[in-house]
Amino acid sequence: MIYNNIVQAVTILQRGGLVGMPTETVYGLGADAKNPAALHKIFQAKQRPIDHPLIVHLADLSQLSEWVSTVSPLAQRLAEAFWPGPLTLILPKAAGVLDLVTGGQSSIGVRIPSHPIAQNLLKQFGSGIAAPSANRFGRISPTTAEAVREELGDAVDVILDGGVCEVGLESTIVDVTSDTPRLLRPGKITPEQIELILQRPLSTQKENVPRVSGSLETHYAPCTLTQLITTTEIPLFLKNLTPTDLPLALITRSLVAAIHQDIICVVMSEDPAVYAHDLYHTLRALDNKQLKRIVVEDVPGNVEWLAIRDRLLRACSNRAAIIRVLEESVGLRKEMATWDREFGQDGLDDNT
């Protein structure tokens, strides 16, 4: 299942299959963005609400006009400054773009990844690849090919092994559908970097904005109960632990003395880039240890830690929110059943 055969991966995409693809941020679950049956398989594999929009990955700017109706001067500046790279732009969609891609919205999320394997795949495929993170809905995004296999198993036809993702967190998302650019998801590219290019401030308004990936209250969450505590709360937390609280893991940025034998202490880097790179891998490894809980020391509030803190807050939020989203997603089960009747379970041409 895990290979480095780009030709095989392109063939699978052309036949309506799914490809685990590395990017510089996290691994994506890729499908032909023009094939409704293939897109449906993404939602099935991820158990993702049908109205949750996907991000379309492109090889270069020449493909943008197939997916986007207009590119404003603001969007053009950002594209020229940060693509290829970990930035997703929300733009007005072009005519003919499938509602499955946009979640029924008039906007679309697009980006050009910089990972060489993703670039090679996109160039040889010759069209857009819809690729949300290759994990079950609401869970920790994978940063290795093996994590994709563990997460999705046989639901993925092939996984391209591109090593450990360089960034480790999902892309920054900026809405440029109007004259007021809005930050919808923080990432490696910071608001200051974006504002420097645009020569204007970014809005952080949350009302009346497009739905985008990773914007739910609860996301990127381990199955293990996970909570965030401040540095000053750690001593009291450890003092008040009872046997029923153990075993647990404590993720900190400095070594904590007198750790109980049933507490796994993971010391993370003080460098936010290194911390981001290691975060999902660390959470995934701890999630596999059958712990009672994972406790994470809060991170600084400055801009370098903005994306990390965003992911931690979502990972430590009320996980019942994920269940609520799935249950309330309009017509999710009916929509899935309809697709199965129209296209069958695999969506592949019988002759391929």
Side-chain angles (χ1 to χ4, degrees), residues 11 22 27 32 50 52 93 101 103 175 177 181-182 199 229 243 249 261 264 267 273 276 280 282 301 336 339:
T11 300
Y27 274 72
D32 180 355
I50 203 73
H52 211 52
K93 73 171 185 177
V101 170
D175 173 21
T177 56
R182 294 177 288 189
Q199 292 296 296
I229 63 174
Q261 63 179 2
I264 301 172
V267 180
Y280 287 162
T282 300
M336 288 298 188
W339 278 107

Side-chain angles (χ1 to χ4, degrees), residues 52-194:
H52 211 52
L54 306 172
I55 294 173
V56 175
H57 294 63
L58 307 176
D60 54 54
L61 282 169
S62 68
Q63 296 179 332
L64 198 57
S65 60
E66 292 184 57
W67 304 93
V68 172
S69 62
T70 56
V71 179
S72 68
L74 294 179
Q76 187 69 32
R77 285 185 216 165
L78 293 178
E80 291 174 355
F82 298 114
W83 281 351
L87 175 69
T88 295
L89 296 180
I90 306 299
L91 293 159
K93 73 171 185 177
V97 172
L98 297 172
D99 283 345
L100 276 174
V101 170
T102 67
Q105 302 178 108
S106 60
S107 60
I108 182 174
V110 292
R111 89 176 184 98
I112 299 176
S114 62
H115 194 289
I117 291 179
Q119 273 286 311
N120 192 3
L121 178 67
L122 285 158
K123 287 175 181 176
Q124 292 201 36
F125 182 60
S127 185
I129 298 177
S133 55
N135 54 281
R136 283 169 288 163
F137 183 66
R139 290 291 313 280
I140 307 165
S141 297
T143 55
T144 65
E146 181 60 27
V148 178
R149 187 196 64 77
E150 290 177 359
E151 186 78 15
L152 297 177
D154 292 339
V156 189
D157 297 296
V158 68
I159 303 169
L160 296 173
D161 190 350
V164 180
C165 296
E166 177 188 354
V167 177
L169 296 181
E170 300 80 5
S171 61
T172 305
I173 300 180
V174 178
D175 173 21
V176 279
T177 56
S178 71
D179 292 334
T180 303
R182 294 177 288 189
L183 178 68
L184 301 187
R185 182 175 71 185
K188 180 180 180 181
I189 298 173
T190 66
E192 282 77 3
Q193 291 175 298
I194 294 167

